[in-house]
Amino acid sequence: FEHPISQLPKCDGFFPVPLNPDLPSPIEHVILVVKENKTFDCVFGDLKDMDVDVDPSLVRWGEEITPNQHALAREFCLADNFYAEVPNSDVGHVFLTAGHLTEFVEHFWKEDVQYGTNPAFPLSEITFPVYGNLFTHLLNHGVSTQVYGEIVGLAAQTQSGGDIFPYTDLSFPGGIAVNYSVTDTEKAEYVAEQIGEGKLAAFTYILLPNDHTNGTAPGTPSPESMVADNDYAVGILVDALSQSPFWEKSLLIITQDDTQGCDDHVDLFRSFAILVSPWVKRNHVTHVHTSFPSIMSPITRILGVPPMGRADATAMPFVDCFQVEPTLTPMPVTPRLYAPEMNPVDEPSPGAEQSSRMSWRSPDRNPGLGIILDSYRLWKMGQITRSEAVRRIEAGEVPEE
């Protein structure tokens, strides 16, 4: 992709993220971990001891529930001016597997949300840009690729006519699509075992979706338990990677697919990205404006392939997060602080009836979940009464079907 405005200033010196396409990178493995539906304030609003822009009143899943993400945010590079430029999970997963949104996706997502016209549209070929998607782009350039748990994008084909399915692990716990009935811990332990056996592709995509939660549906894991499970899974991945021979040559990026269900005092699309690597500065916060294309940009630059389009070609690839000398100290997992628990059956939590009517077959088939989670958490945090939580949920007009 050649365009005069598509290049950052070239740098002929050594740097982990090559700004000159002719230069190699010491990083040979990039792992992208995609989670579900959180804003920056929602998770990191309690980071008052760091140089981050937060509103503590908006934190819902703070350090007592997400200790691993907080530890990684403090230890490596946290982006607090990062935006998920998508309205929901369908569009988010298309963007994060394609690196670009087609005009069809931009127009059709609202049609589907309003009328349920085609809930499987993210799997359709019409959602892919003309070049295919991130998976085909890397495979077309000979970059080994492994997909764990992400079904969006698998219908694309490489230039040679090959399918993406051979590059997805069918043994991954929960299968090739979103599955909230299998813990993210099990999923992460599976990938950690693969790493321990010396198996790591140049590019790895891992879906860890359980921080989406099942709401307060009785007999299912509580929202806190599912978010804590997701957080522990992230810690397991980093622990395994940082204690493996791959560590010196790896970069792991953690982000959310969209920001539904939480508020943020800067912008409702503000989310977060955490970059973890020996080549990432320790204890660093980047305030540079970044977004999904900024995730694609270092992936293509590091793995030595052309940009997919103008968006990632011109995006800032988190350059201020990186350093020219590696820090090889491993990062151990932090134990769960919030024990596993189930939503009560005998005395259901606020929103239990509405949650029980929702569909959990995939992300965001549950309008009103954000209202339930916010009201429920405020009640659990002691900031509102149970009756007020119930009132807010009912006033939010959570649909009957």
Side-chain angles (χ1 to χ4, degrees), residues 117-282:
T117 308
N118 179 10
F121 85 90
L123 311 182
S124 306
E125 184 177 354
I126 196 171
T127 64
F128 309 149
V130 292
Y131 56 76
N133 61 17
L134 176 61
F135 303 147
T136 62
H137 184 69
L138 294 175
L139 291 169
N140 288 339
H141 288 87
V143 177
S144 62
T145 300
Q146 182 66 66
V147 182
Y148 294 105
E150 178 60 81
I151 192 171
V152 174
L154 294 189
Q157 290 193 326
T158 63
Q159 290 176 347
S160 62
D163 294 329
I164 308 300
F165 273 97
Y167 303 96
T168 188
D169 192 330
L170 300 180
S171 298
F172 183 64
I176 63 173
V178 167
N179 188 335
Y180 303 126
S181 66
V182 177
T183 66
D184 281 348
T185 296
E186 294 176 73
K187 299 165 190 173
E189 288 175 341
Y190 178 84
V191 178
E193 183 178 348
Q194 301 291 301
I195 293 173
E197 294 175 357
K199 302 173 184 176
L200 186 63
F203 176 70
T204 302
Y205 188 113
I206 306 173
L207 182 62
L208 296 178
N210 284 14
D211 56 337
H212 180 280
T213 85
N214 289 323
T216 56
T220 66
S222 73
E224 294 91 344
S225 187
M226 293 188 74
V227 175
D229 161 54
N230 173 269
D231 177 79
Y232 188 50
V234 170
I236 289 171
L237 285 176
V238 175
D239 185 310
L241 181 65
S242 70
Q243 299 192 59
S244 76
F246 298 114
W247 178 230
E248 187 174 0
K249 299 179 179 180
S250 295
L251 166 66
L252 187 145
I253 305 172
I254 304 159
T255 195
Q256 304 286 145
D257 72 326
D258 71 73
T259 58
Q260 291 186 96
C262 289
D263 286 333
D264 190 275
H265 83 286
V266 175
D267 190 279
L268 287 180
F269 289 97
R270 187 175 73 135
S271 188
F272 60 86
I274 306 173
L275 281 70
V276 178
S277 171
W279 297 96
V280 165
K281 294 176 183 176
R282 297 296 176 112

Side-chain angles (χ1 to χ4, degrees), residues 77-83 273 284-291 294 315-321:
C77 183
L78 172 67
D80 77 340
N81 195 18
F82 174 84
Y83 300 85
H284 182 69
V285 176
T286 175
H287 305 300
V288 177
H289 186 283
T290 48
S291 59
S294 297
M316 181 61 70
F318 296 102
V319 290
D320 68 311
C321 284

Side-chain angles (χ1 to χ4, degrees), residues 63-143:
E63 190 160 7
E64 76 280 4
I65 301 175
T66 55
N68 281 281
Q69 289 168 86
H70 279 70
L72 293 171
R74 289 190 172 97
E75 185 67 21
F76 292 95
C77 183
L78 172 67
D80 77 340
N81 195 18
F82 174 84
Y83 300 85
E85 304 152 310
V86 292
N88 66 7
S89 289
D90 283 342
V91 184
H93 284 259
V94 171
F95 205 148
L96 284 167
T97 57
H100 175 73
L101 291 178
T102 65
E103 186 173 0
F104 171 81
V105 174
E106 294 273 24
H107 286 81
F108 188 79
W109 74 267
K110 193 169 185 179
E111 172 91 5
D112 179 59
V113 167
Q114 185 169 359
Y115 302 110
T117 308
N118 179 10
F121 85 90
L123 311 182
S124 306
E125 184 177 354
I126 196 171
T127 64
F128 309 149
V130 292
Y131 56 76
N133 61 17
L134 176 61
F135 303 147
T136 62
H137 184 69
L138 294 175
L139 291 169
N140 288 339
H141 288 87
V143 177

